[in-house]
Amino acid sequence: MKQAYLIYIFFGPPGSGKGTQSNFLGKKLGLPVISTGELLRYEESIKSPLGLKARRYVKHGQLVPDKLIHQIIAGRLRKRDAAKGFILDGYPRDAKQLDDLLKLIQDKYTPWLIEVKVSDREVVNRISGRRVCNNCGASYHLVYNPPKKGGLCDVCGHKLSIREDDKPAVVRKRLADYKDSADPLLAYGKKQKRLISINGEQSIAKVRQDIFKAIDKIK
Ligand code: AMP
């Protein structure tokens, strides 16, 4: 039987570091990292019709309607670099999106779920220091992962900014939503015996090491 390619779905609360970790894994495995949050921010920055439609949801920390997300993901997965597997960050976010994804990939890909666990208190702590580059998508933390030159992106030199949806009231809403949405992903991963749960409250390097170790066991 032809073996399905593996895909990796990262999930965890906002600020859990799943964006950073998914990029480490992407480099290790030579797979593209597909982040719906980043794709949406890009669409917004070029003021595409899709970006403009999504903007009001993203700004208030609300989920963008499934139809728009599906459109953006389906388009991205058609690109050549995703043919032999990919890593997802921020998608699927709930039971409906998981179902949509499973239909889209059929039996061509086998999904593994990677949960990055972090407490609410730590999330609020971390997000207050988060800075992002709107030009290339790199992200930083003023304490845990500071840029080399204050306020500027190490990769492209662009000025860093605070995401609008990282403001405290919006973060609280995103946290509450996350809890509802993570349950179906956990249940699916457990049922399929393809769930990796990682303690995200460790140094970036140690979290990376734990993820790599777990991935090496399944390959
Ligand atoms: P993130 O960068 O993953 O924290 O996403 C930032 C924002 O983009 C979220 O608060 C949502 O408004 C939107 N978003 C990202 N991914 C999704 C998704 N899978 N479904 C719906 N909205 C999303």
Side-chain angles (χ1 to χ4, degrees):
M1 204 179 84
K2 199 175 144 240
Q3 227 195 335
Y5 292 114
L6 300 185
I7 64 171
Y8 304 88
I9 299 172
F10 272 83
F11 68 107
S16 58
K18 62 187 161 45
T20 304
Q21 297 295 339
S22 54
N23 280 303
F24 287 147
L25 188 63
K27 284 207 183 91
K28 172 181 163 75
L29 301 177
L31 295 176
V33 179
I34 301 173
S35 150
T36 38
E38 240 168 61
L39 289 172
L40 287 166
R41 285 188 284 280
Y42 171 73
E43 293 292 330
E44 194 186 315
S45 74
I46 60 165
K47 299 195 165 51
S48 73
L50 203 153
L52 294 177
K53 268 191 223 158
R55 186 182 144 71
R56 63 190 166 112
Y57 300 96
V58 175
K59 194 175 158 194
H60 298 291
Q62 293 164 350
L63 288 187
V64 172
D66 284 341
K67 213 174 132 196
L68 287 185
I69 292 290
H70 189 71
Q71 200 179 327
I72 216 170
I73 277 288
R76 180 62 187 85
L77 296 191
R78 272 197 295 274
K79 291 199 176 159
R80 241 209 177 131
D81 63 345
K84 294 195 173 171
F86 48 89
I87 295 171
L88 290 171
D89 165 19
Y91 177 89
R93 271 261 214 299
D94 56 23
K96 168 78 173 68
Q97 291 186 359
L98 175 63
D99 207 44
D100 286 346
L101 175 71
L102 295 176
K103 280 190 193 128
L104 192 67
I105 62 174
Q106 302 201 347
D107 52 4
K108 192 172 167 204
Y109 300 101
T110 301
W112 272 87
L113 284 95
I114 304 176
E115 178 196 22
V116 185
K117 287 167 103 166
V118 173
S119 68
D120 291 5
R121 218 171 123 191
E122 179 67 11
V123 164
V124 175
N125 249 343
R126 286 184 181 187
I127 286 193
S128 57
R130 184 151 78 173
R131 298 293 180 272
V132 292
C133 173
N134 288 330
N135 188 44
C136 74
S139 68
Y140 301 87
H141 192 282
L142 296 183
V143 179
Y144 306 115
N145 179 29
K148 291 195 185 82
K149 275 193 210 151
L152 300 179
C153 178
D154 293 351
V155 182
C156 70
H158 206 262
K159 194 165 174 279
L160 300 176
S161 50
I162 302 179
R163 278 167 47 172
E164 217 160 340
D165 58 342
D166 276 352
K167 302 197 170 136
V170 183
V171 170
R172 281 194 291 275
K173 172 162 182 8
R174 289 168 63 204
L175 252 177
D177 288 348
Y178 167 72
K179 287 193 183 132
D180 294 339
S181 62
D183 284 349
L185 299 181
L186 273 173
Y188 175 81
K190 274 187 197 148
K191 187 165 168 229
Q192 300 292 325
K193 299 197 167 53
R194 290 197 302 266
L195 173 68
I196 294 168
S197 286
I198 299 287
N199 172 12
E201 289 194 30
Q202 311 180 86
S203 69
I204 294 179
K206 178 71 170 72
V207 175
R208 174 178 58 187
Q209 193 187 37
D210 286 359
I211 293 174
F212 283 10
K213 249 195 223 158
I215 295 293
D216 285 340
K217 275 192 209 148
I218 63 173
K219 277 200 302 150

